[in-house]
Each structure stands twice: as structure tokens, then as C-alpha cells.
Amino acid sequence: MSGVYLVMCQSCSYSQGFKFGVGNKFSNLNQAVCLVNANMRYQVQEIIRDNGLSETDFGYRAFHCPICNNLCDEFWVRIEQDSTSVFETEVYCSKCGNRMQSVLKPEDMKAFPCPDCYNVNLDLVRVMPWD
Ligand SMILES: [Zn+2]
Ligand SMILES: [Zn+2]
């Protein structure tokens, strides 16, 4: 299920590519840290240095804005530093500033309204696997 997906609206001309997961060449977060959004990369590198790579999860995901239905993708990282402290990538909507919710499975995109025309009529195809 990982790879690049093209999401298209069947009611209007909206179409956009979304990345999901990560290629096999990135087997741990240290190798993939270059994919982290530049404004969070230093923080992630520091957490890795202080905590190691034991409890990490990472990969591209789509994000959905529950307020304005904006969609985007972003490289997502989750690091459990200890039982009470977890770092997780937070994505804020470029249109309205609200915190966006991550979309784990590409198929889940179909349940969202189109960001342009708001009809629930999105379809998706995988256009490129990672490897
Ligand atoms: Zn549409
Ligand atoms: Zn929004």
C-alpha cells in the first residue's frame, strides 16, 4: 500500500498526488531523517540522539483538515521517548491553520469531501510504488 497515489475528484477537475509510506531503502529513522520537514528536522535529530531509535514509526501520510477539507501529504514521525513523552509530527492546515488529522490508509481518502467542490466523490489510483 505504500507508494504515490493520485487522488482525483469525479465531480470536478481536482487531482493531486499523495505519498504514503516510505521506500525500503529507509530502514530506520536515522536514514529517513532527511525527509522530515525542515522546520522539525533538528528537533527530530535531537530526540534520536537522546533516545535512540528503539520506538520509532515513520513514513509519508496524507493529512485531512476537519474544518475546511484541505488535503496534503507530509512525512510523519512518531517517537516514544518514554511512557509519558511522545513526539509526533503535527501538521497545520495551509488554508485555515487548524490542526490536520493524519490519514493512515490511502483508501481512507475516498471518504473525504473533495477540497475544491466538496462532493464526496474522490477516487484514487496508485501511480508509483516506492521500490
Ligand atoms: Zn471536486
Ligand atoms: Zn483547513
PDB file of all heavy atoms in Angstrom, residues 9-14 114-119 122, ligand 1:
ATOM      1  N   CYS A   9     -10.974  13.840  -8.221  1.00  0.00           N
ATOM      2  CA  CYS A   9     -12.397  14.046  -7.974  1.00  0.00           C
ATOM      3  C   CYS A   9     -13.154  13.707  -9.244  1.00  0.00           C
ATOM      4  O   CYS A   9     -12.780  14.133 -10.337  1.00  0.00           O
ATOM      5  CB  CYS A   9     -12.666  15.490  -7.577  1.00  0.00           C
ATOM      6  SG  CYS A   9     -14.415  15.834  -7.342  1.00  0.00           S
ATOM      7  N   GLN A  10     -14.238  12.941  -9.083  1.00  0.00           N
ATOM      8  CA  GLN A  10     -15.030  12.571 -10.254  1.00  0.00           C
ATOM      9  C   GLN A  10     -16.142  13.578 -10.523  1.00  0.00           C
ATOM     10  O   GLN A  10     -16.940  13.396 -11.432  1.00  0.00           O
ATOM     11  CB  GLN A  10     -15.594  11.154 -10.056  1.00  0.00           C
ATOM     12  CG  GLN A  10     -14.450  10.146  -9.985  1.00  0.00           C
ATOM     13  CD  GLN A  10     -14.927   8.727  -9.700  1.00  0.00           C
ATOM     14  OE1 GLN A  10     -15.619   8.492  -8.720  1.00  0.00           O
ATOM     15  NE2 GLN A  10     -14.568   7.801 -10.544  1.00  0.00           N
ATOM     16  N   SER A  11     -16.192  14.639  -9.710  1.00  0.00           N
ATOM     17  CA  SER A  11     -17.197  15.678  -9.929  1.00  0.00           C
ATOM     18  C   SER A  11     -16.604  16.982 -10.455  1.00  0.00           C
ATOM     19  O   SER A  11     -17.312  17.832 -10.961  1.00  0.00           O
ATOM     20  CB  SER A  11     -17.938  15.987  -8.621  1.00  0.00           C
ATOM     21  OG  SER A  11     -18.637  14.856  -8.175  1.00  0.00           O
ATOM     22  N   CYS A  12     -15.290  17.160 -10.274  1.00  0.00           N
ATOM     23  CA  CYS A  12     -14.645  18.376 -10.780  1.00  0.00           C
ATOM     24  C   CYS A  12     -13.241  18.010 -11.243  1.00  0.00           C
ATOM     25  O   CYS A  12     -12.901  16.836 -11.351  1.00  0.00           O
ATOM     26  CB  CYS A  12     -14.637  19.495  -9.727  1.00  0.00           C
ATOM     27  SG  CYS A  12     -13.425  19.249  -8.401  1.00  0.00           S
ATOM     28  N   SER A  13     -12.410  18.998 -11.505  1.00  0.00           N
ATOM     29  CA  SER A  13     -11.099  18.710 -12.097  1.00  0.00           C
ATOM     30  C   SER A  13      -9.997  18.532 -11.057  1.00  0.00           C
ATOM     31  O   SER A  13      -8.823  18.465 -11.399  1.00  0.00           O
ATOM     32  CB  SER A  13     -10.729  19.841 -13.068  1.00  0.00           C
ATOM     33  OG  SER A  13     -10.662  21.063 -12.358  1.00  0.00           O
ATOM     34  N   TYR A  14     -10.348  18.457  -9.758  1.00  0.00           N
ATOM     35  CA  TYR A  14      -9.326  18.298  -8.714  1.00  0.00           C
ATOM     36  C   TYR A  14      -8.529  17.008  -8.912  1.00  0.00           C
ATOM     37  O   TYR A  14      -9.100  15.928  -9.088  1.00  0.00           O
ATOM     38  CB  TYR A  14      -9.994  18.276  -7.341  1.00  0.00           C
ATOM     39  CG  TYR A  14      -9.028  17.955  -6.204  1.00  0.00           C
ATOM     40  CD1 TYR A  14      -8.239  18.940  -5.654  1.00  0.00           C
ATOM     41  CD2 TYR A  14      -8.922  16.655  -5.712  1.00  0.00           C
ATOM     42  CE1 TYR A  14      -7.345  18.650  -4.625  1.00  0.00           C
ATOM     43  CE2 TYR A  14      -8.036  16.354  -4.686  1.00  0.00           C
ATOM     44  CZ  TYR A  14      -7.252  17.359  -4.153  1.00  0.00           C
ATOM     45  OH  TYR A  14      -6.373  17.063  -3.140  1.00  0.00           O
ATOM     46  N   CYS A 114     -14.260  16.353  -1.572  1.00  0.00           N
ATOM     47  CA  CYS A 114     -13.274  16.993  -2.438  1.00  0.00           C
ATOM     48  C   CYS A 114     -12.913  18.367  -1.876  1.00  0.00           C
ATOM     49  O   CYS A 114     -13.796  19.136  -1.499  1.00  0.00           O
ATOM     50  CB  CYS A 114     -13.873  17.128  -3.843  1.00  0.00           C
ATOM     51  SG  CYS A 114     -12.900  18.149  -4.946  1.00  0.00           S
ATOM     52  N   PRO A 115     -11.610  18.708  -1.806  1.00  0.00           N
ATOM     53  CA  PRO A 115     -11.212  20.030  -1.278  1.00  0.00           C
ATOM     54  C   PRO A 115     -11.716  21.189  -2.138  1.00  0.00           C
ATOM     55  O   PRO A 115     -11.812  22.313  -1.654  1.00  0.00           O
ATOM     56  CB  PRO A 115      -9.682  19.977  -1.300  1.00  0.00           C
ATOM     57  CG  PRO A 115      -9.339  18.534  -1.395  1.00  0.00           C
ATOM     58  CD  PRO A 115     -10.454  17.874  -2.125  1.00  0.00           C
ATOM     59  N   ASP A 116     -12.017  20.927  -3.401  1.00  0.00           N
ATOM     60  CA  ASP A 116     -12.452  22.005  -4.300  1.00  0.00           C
ATOM     61  C   ASP A 116     -13.972  22.129  -4.396  1.00  0.00           C
ATOM     62  O   ASP A 116     -14.513  23.221  -4.327  1.00  0.00           O
ATOM     63  CB  ASP A 116     -11.872  21.796  -5.705  1.00  0.00           C
ATOM     64  CG  ASP A 116     -10.392  22.164  -5.758  1.00  0.00           C
ATOM     65  OD1 ASP A 116      -9.880  22.738  -4.771  1.00  0.00           O
ATOM     66  OD2 ASP A 116      -9.755  21.885  -6.787  1.00  0.00           O
ATOM     67  N   CYS A 117     -14.677  21.004  -4.585  1.00  0.00           N
ATOM     68  CA  CYS A 117     -16.130  21.105  -4.823  1.00  0.00           C
ATOM     69  C   CYS A 117     -16.956  20.495  -3.690  1.00  0.00           C
ATOM     70  O   CYS A 117     -18.190  20.580  -3.714  1.00  0.00           O
ATOM     71  CB  CYS A 117     -16.502  20.461  -6.165  1.00  0.00           C
ATOM     72  SG  CYS A 117     -16.441  18.649  -6.160  1.00  0.00           S
ATOM     73  N   TYR A 118     -16.311  19.863  -2.723  1.00  0.00           N
ATOM     74  CA  TYR A 118     -16.946  19.322  -1.513  1.00  0.00           C
ATOM     75  C   TYR A 118     -17.870  18.134  -1.756  1.00  0.00           C
ATOM     76  O   TYR A 118     -18.553  17.678  -0.846  1.00  0.00           O
ATOM     77  CB  TYR A 118     -17.684  20.423  -0.720  1.00  0.00           C
ATOM     78  CG  TYR A 118     -16.773  21.592  -0.380  1.00  0.00           C
ATOM     79  CD1 TYR A 118     -16.962  22.839  -0.968  1.00  0.00           C
ATOM     80  CD2 TYR A 118     -15.689  21.421   0.474  1.00  0.00           C
ATOM     81  CE1 TYR A 118     -16.103  23.895  -0.693  1.00  0.00           C
ATOM     82  CE2 TYR A 118     -14.828  22.466   0.768  1.00  0.00           C
ATOM     83  CZ  TYR A 118     -15.041  23.699   0.172  1.00  0.00           C
ATOM     84  OH  TYR A 118     -14.186  24.731   0.454  1.00  0.00           O
ATOM     85  N   ASN A 119     -17.919  17.608  -2.975  1.00  0.00           N
ATOM     86  CA  ASN A 119     -18.650  16.357  -3.201  1.00  0.00           C
ATOM     87  C   ASN A 119     -17.801  15.195  -2.696  1.00  0.00           C
ATOM     88  O   ASN A 119     -16.580  15.195  -2.844  1.00  0.00           O
ATOM     89  CB  ASN A 119     -18.938  16.169  -4.695  1.00  0.00           C
ATOM     90  CG  ASN A 119     -20.020  17.103  -5.187  1.00  0.00           C
ATOM     91  OD1 ASN A 119     -21.126  17.104  -4.670  1.00  0.00           O
ATOM     92  ND2 ASN A 119     -19.687  17.912  -6.175  1.00  0.00           N
ATOM     93  N   LEU A 122     -14.272  11.228  -4.418  1.00  0.00           N
ATOM     94  CA  LEU A 122     -12.847  11.083  -4.730  1.00  0.00           C
ATOM     95  C   LEU A 122     -12.530   9.629  -5.071  1.00  0.00           C
ATOM     96  O   LEU A 122     -13.091   8.704  -4.499  1.00  0.00           O
ATOM     97  CB  LEU A 122     -11.983  11.524  -3.539  1.00  0.00           C
ATOM     98  CG  LEU A 122     -12.068  13.000  -3.143  1.00  0.00           C
ATOM     99  CD1 LEU A 122     -11.222  13.253  -1.902  1.00  0.00           C
ATOM    100  CD2 LEU A 122     -11.611  13.903  -4.283  1.00  0.00           C
TER     101      LEU A 122
HETATM  102 ZN    ZN B   1     -14.316  18.015  -6.748  1.00  0.00          ZN
END
